[in-house]
Amino acid sequence: MKIVRITLAIVVIVLSGYGLKTQTLELLPYCMFFLGTLILVIGLEELQKDRKVWGYMNIAISLFIFFTSIQDILMN
């Protein structure tokens, strides 16, 4: 899980950095999708550590981010 979390964090940072450098918003939905995936992985790790409140909250936040990013991807 740690390798997946680090990989997703790097992908989010690279996509965000590219968007900042080029001043375009075309990759923003994909950045949001990977951010939602990262938060989901963090939530699952919190559940494994028996921190149920933070785990469920992270999962709920990731579902909201998935919904908004997929909606934005489909609109474009």
Side-chain angles (χ1 to χ4, degrees):
M1 278 287 210
K2 188 174 184 178
I3 295 173
V4 174
R5 188 181 69 205
I6 292 171
T7 305
L8 287 170
I10 290 171
V11 168
V12 169
I13 291 170
V14 168
L15 287 175
S16 300
Y18 179 78
L20 284 172
K21 184 74 173 167
T22 61
Q23 297 292 317
T24 60
L25 298 176
E26 59 193 29
L27 293 179
L28 185 63
Y30 302 106
C31 181
M32 287 175 50
F33 179 78
F34 285 114
L35 181 65
T37 308
L38 175 62
I39 294 175
L40 178 66
V41 169
I42 291 171
L44 293 175
E45 287 179 347
E46 292 293 321
L47 286 177
Q48 287 179 347
K49 294 178 184 176
D50 245 2
R51 299 179 187 158
K52 301 220 181 286
V53 174
W54 291 107
Y56 290 132
M57 186 171 63
N58 281 332
I59 291 172
I61 291 169
S62 71
L63 291 175
F64 176 74
I65 293 174
F66 281 142
F67 175 73
T68 55
S69 67
I70 290 174
Q71 182 180 3
D72 196 24
I73 290 171
L74 294 177
M75 295 290 270
N76 288 333

